[in-house]
Amino acid sequence: MKDRAGLEERSALRVTVDFTDAAHRSLGVGWSVDAATYRRFESARIFLVALGSRPCRTYLGLVDGQDRTSIQLPEALPAGAYAIDVDAYGSASWGDGRLDARGRSPVFTVEPEAAESAGAD
């Protein structure tokens, strides 16, 4: 029962993604909780989610004390539909096992020409 109560306390994050440089696959990622349930998070883990018949999460990095970051997508990333997941932790150590909030961005598409144009110059 104690574990289940902890899950009920987890907040939902709103995750936004904007391409800051589509040719080089650079993303701006931000996350927040509802103003009524505002919480400060000490760290967040960022994941790239390949969507499809078998969704797969790939760890991209750890962000400390911020609610926004820039991410470079892997160069070899195939075209397709993706999302960004953010797992946020209230304590300074995400390794303590307490996930305080989680969210997923809207789906975005990585186009094949983005990879081709990156090497065209």
Side-chain angles (χ1 to χ4, degrees):
M1 285 306 246
K2 189 174 187 178
D3 290 337
R4 179 170 284 175
L7 289 175
E8 291 170 4
E9 294 174 14
R10 186 182 324 160
S11 299
L13 291 175
R14 283 188 308 278
V15 179
T16 59
V17 171
D18 58 284
F19 277 88
T20 55
D21 184 350
H24 295 100
R25 298 180 176 199
S26 182
L27 301 175
V29 178
W31 54 93
S32 63
V33 292
D34 187 348
T37 58
Y38 175 77
R39 296 181 72 161
R40 174 159 166 68
F41 300 108
E42 293 296 323
S43 61
R45 292 190 302 165
I46 312 298
F47 297 88
L48 176 67
V49 182
L51 302 173
S53 60
R54 298 179 73 180
C56 176
R57 281 180 19 140
T58 302
Y59 176 74
L60 295 177
L62 178 68
V63 179
D64 287 326
Q66 302 291 322
D67 61 0
R68 184 153 194 79
T69 191
S70 294
I71 293 180
Q72 187 75 29
L73 295 177
E75 286 185 32
L77 188 69
Y82 294 90
I84 296 291
D85 276 359
V86 177
D87 291 353
Y89 299 85
S91 68
S93 171
W94 59 267
D96 71 2
R98 182 173 169 87
L99 175 63
D100 293 309
R102 174 176 276 167
R104 178 170 286 179
S105 74
V107 175
F108 59 90
T109 303
V110 172
E111 301 290 339
E113 55 270 8
E116 293 167 9
S117 66
D121 293 323

